[in-house]
Each structure stands twice: as structure tokens, then as C-alpha cells.
Amino acid sequence: MSTETYLAYDYPLLSMFWTLLWFFLWIMWFILLFRIIGDIFRDDGLSGWGKTGWLVLVIVLPFLGVFIYLIARGKGMGRREIDHARAQQAEFEAYIKQTAGESGRRTSADELAKLSDMRARGDITDEEFRRAKELVLSGTGSPGPSGTVTTPPSN
């Protein structure tokens, strides 16, 4: 019974593979830990005490805490992540619309609707409405804020 037993660690290539596997698993665990901490803070359904309890569990007993969290609340993590991404996208789109609306050019239809509204309120006369409408439709000018027509500067 003098046979030698070779382990995977006895071979240099397998040793390197084994080391890389453990390094990969360690990095993946850190990524999972940070995602769980982010999910704890993102969840509006948890009270302050609930968040504190989960954080203490995850920090004091890191491996066990992560596994318990994944078992207990893992199903909702994806839903909360999607809700957060949708909310960010909606905020971004609202910002784009607000920014484009403030500095964007008004279309002829917008100008005509504004003129019609001003005429209905009695701010401008029918003659002023007709002249402003002709300018808007011809593309040579647009009515100003008080119904006066402004023309672009000529070169």
C-alpha cells in the first residue's frame, strides 16, 4: 500500500485553475453582497428597523446572511431592480421632454393653436389674427408672446 495519491493541486495547471476558480467565486460573492445591500436600501416596503436588521445580518454573518437574504427576499430583487430602472427611464424621458420643450422650436400648428386661443380670449382682433396666421403659414415670422408678429432678422 505504498501508492501515492495525487491531488489536483499537485499539477501546476490545475493549481492555477483552482486558484482562479476561488478568486472568481470570491469576486462574485462581493458583487452579490453589494447588490443585496443596494436592494435593502432601495426597497421602500422595508421599515428602518427591517433594513437595519438585514444589514446587520449581512455584515455580521456575511456568507450566511447573503444566503438567508436570497432565500427570503431573492424573488423580489429582480422586480425591484426593474421598477427602479423603469423609474429612472421615465425621469430621463421627462427631463428630455422638458428640456426640448423649453428650447425647441414651435411648429406652425402650435403657433396657430396659440393664435386661435388668443383670439378666443379677445387678446387680438380678427384682423390681427388673420395677419399673424398668414405670417405663420408663409414661414416668414411667428407671433410673439403678446400676439405681435416678429420676423426673423434679414441678412
Side-chain angles (χ1 to χ4, degrees):
M1 294 209 145
S2 64
T3 59
E4 290 187 43
T5 306
Y6 290 103
L7 300 175
Y9 198 78
D10 291 335
Y11 297 99
L13 183 62
L14 293 177
S15 172
M16 183 185 69
F17 173 74
W18 193 247
T19 303
L20 286 176
L21 177 68
W22 279 110
F23 184 73
F24 174 75
L25 291 174
W26 184 254
I27 297 297
M28 289 305 298
W29 180 81
F30 269 115
I31 290 171
L32 185 60
L33 178 68
F34 289 127
R35 286 196 55 141
I36 287 174
I37 291 172
D39 186 62
I40 290 171
F41 283 110
R42 183 178 300 127
D43 189 8
D44 293 331
L46 275 177
S47 67
W49 288 108
K51 290 179 183 185
T52 304
W54 279 114
L55 280 174
V56 167
L57 181 66
V58 167
I59 291 172
V60 172
L61 300 172
F63 290 108
L64 187 61
V66 165
F67 293 135
I68 292 172
Y69 188 87
L70 287 177
I71 291 169
R73 300 180 44 89
K75 188 176 271 188
M77 283 179 69
R79 182 183 42 79
R80 285 187 291 275
E81 183 75 25
I82 289 171
D83 291 344
H84 180 70
R86 285 184 181 153
Q88 278 186 327
Q89 183 67 26
E91 287 177 15
F92 177 72
E93 289 173 359
Y95 172 75
I96 293 295
K97 287 179 183 177
Q98 175 191 3
T99 305
E102 290 174 356
S103 64
R105 295 183 53 111
R106 295 176 64 113
T107 64
S108 297
D110 293 335
E111 295 292 339
L112 290 175
K114 184 177 175 184
L115 282 171
S116 178
D117 185 43
M118 290 171 66
R119 183 179 65 172
R121 286 192 319 247
D123 292 342
I124 59 174
T125 64
D126 287 338
E127 180 60 30
E128 290 172 329
F129 172 76
R130 186 188 59 74
R131 281 185 292 160
K133 183 172 91 169
E134 287 175 3
L135 284 173
V136 169
L137 292 177
S138 69
T140 59
S142 61
S146 63
T148 59
V149 176
T150 60
T151 57
S154 59
N155 292 340

